[in-house]
Amino acid sequence: MFGTVVVGVGIAGLARIRDLMNPMPSSPSEHLKLLGFVSRRSFGNIDEAKQISLEDALRSEEIHAAFISTENKSHEETIRMFLEAGKHVLVEYPMALSAKAAHELWEMAEQKGKVLHVEHIELLTEEYKQLKKEVAGKDLVKGTLHFTGSVLDENKTGFPAFSGIARLTWLIDLFGDLTVTSATREKQKDKNYSRMTVHFQTANK
């Protein structure tokens, strides 16, 4: 069994705990054993998972991997700590708030001989697999992807582009590398409203 710890117990972290506690039969998750979770808030236990300190998670020889589900801003620091402690890391996207930091983390994982995996679960869904089949072999002439959400705390999540990075990953996976041709942002503080519009171009224009 491969000992794991979940760091952060928001929506994603709670889903991780649930899935690790109740793995699907014959799935790789059956080989993972949840040894605890780390949170700044005090929970005690969640279901049968026990809360442990960050220090204990980093020191434990029984913990081989960490699932990081904290706010975007803290991903980079938390990844570094677990890689330095000799653990494999799975982190919810985005891995870091800059490309420079992300490359440094990839290099660090390679030097340590550890797996550093950025999770984007949407790319594994049946709906997305079907979408990918539908666009295969076709030329993209023009398209629009529009999505909405609640206003995010930029101090924790980073610049608004990071809240949309999942959709950017969709587009790159479907149509290859993209170049940003323009980007604008509109804010209406009195209405608590913000919109970011970005235009991309594929490699074949």
Side-chain angles (χ1 to χ4, degrees), residues 103-122:
H103 287 293
E104 288 174 359
L105 292 170
W106 287 125
E107 289 171 11
M108 184 178 180
E110 193 169 340
Q111 290 167 2
K112 297 277 188 181
K114 299 299 173 184
V115 173
L116 172 54
H117 172 71
V118 184
E119 182 78 322
H120 185 1
I121 199 71
E122 291 174 359

Side-chain angles (χ1 to χ4, degrees), residues 101-159:
H103 287 293
E104 288 174 359
L105 292 170
W106 287 125
E107 289 171 11
M108 184 178 180
E110 193 169 340
Q111 290 167 2
K112 297 277 188 181
K114 299 299 173 184
V115 173
L116 172 54
H117 172 71
V118 184
E119 182 78 322
H120 185 1
I121 199 71
E122 291 174 359
L123 299 184
L124 304 176
T125 63
E126 290 306 316
E127 293 89 343
Y128 181 80
K129 290 176 184 176
Q130 183 60 37
L131 176 62
K132 193 163 184 178
K133 284 180 186 175
E134 289 175 13
V135 304
K138 296 178 182 176
D139 289 326
L140 176 67
V141 178
K142 188 176 182 180
T144 301
L145 180 63
H146 179 219
F147 63 98
T148 60
S150 58
V151 178
L152 300 173
D153 180 348
E154 290 185 30
N155 290 324
K156 293 181 178 179
T157 61
F159 190 67

Side-chain angles (χ1 to χ4, degrees), residues 40 68-79 81 95 97 155-156:
R40 291 185 299 263
I68 299 173
S69 305
T70 56
E71 66 272 7
N72 297 346
K73 186 179 179 182
S74 67
H75 285 182
E76 179 185 345
E77 180 186 4
T78 311
I79 291 169
M81 287 191 290
M95 179 163 60
L97 297 187
N155 290 324
K156 293 181 178 179

Side-chain angles (χ1 to χ4, degrees), residues 9-189:
V9 289
I11 294 172
L14 288 171
R16 292 280 177 205
I17 291 171
R18 178 200 65 210
D19 293 344
L20 288 166
M21 297 292 288
N22 303 286
M24 291 180 64
S26 302
S27 72
S29 296
E30 285 193 315
H31 302 288
L32 302 176
K33 183 178 182 181
L34 181 63
L35 296 177
F37 67 89
V38 173
S39 176
R40 291 185 299 263
R41 295 172 289 170
S42 180
F43 286 94
N45 288 2
I46 296 178
D47 294 329
E48 295 177 21
K50 64 178 181 178
Q51 185 166 4
I52 62 175
S53 70
L54 177 62
E55 293 73 21
D56 286 346
L58 292 167
R59 280 197 302 260
S60 173
E61 294 184 4
E62 294 182 329
I63 292 175
H64 307 103
F67 290 76
I68 299 173
S69 305
T70 56
E71 66 272 7
N72 297 346
K73 186 179 179 182
S74 67
H75 285 182
E76 179 185 345
E77 180 186 4
T78 311
I79 291 169
R80 286 185 192 280
M81 287 191 290
F82 277 96
L83 287 177
E84 284 172 358
K87 318 290 187 190
H88 301 289
V89 175
L90 179 148
V91 62
E92 306 289 343
Y93 61 82
M95 179 163 60
L97 297 187
S98 76
K100 180 176 181 288
H103 287 293
E104 288 174 359
L105 292 170
W106 287 125
E107 289 171 11
M108 184 178 180
E110 193 169 340
Q111 290 167 2
K112 297 277 188 181
K114 299 299 173 184
V115 173
L116 172 54
H117 172 71
V118 184
E119 182 78 322
H120 185 1
I121 199 71
E122 291 174 359
L123 299 184
L124 304 176
T125 63
E126 290 306 316
E127 293 89 343
Y128 181 80
K129 290 176 184 176
Q130 183 60 37
L131 176 62
K132 193 163 184 178
K133 284 180 186 175
E134 289 175 13
V135 304
K138 296 178 182 176
D139 289 326
L140 176 67
V141 178
K142 188 176 182 180
T144 301
L145 180 63
H146 179 219
F147 63 98
T148 60
S150 58
V151 178
L152 300 173
D153 180 348
E154 290 185 30
N155 290 324
K156 293 181 178 179
T157 61
F159 190 67
F162 282 96
S163 63
I165 205 166
R167 276 60 188 186
L168 178 57
T169 309
W170 277 30
L171 294 175
I172 291 173
D173 188 56
L174 292 170
F175 304 112
D177 287 344
L178 302 171
T179 302
V180 178
T181 57
S182 67
T184 57
R185 186 181 182 193
E186 175 191 348
K187 287 183 81 173
Q188 296 178 21
K189 282 193 175 181

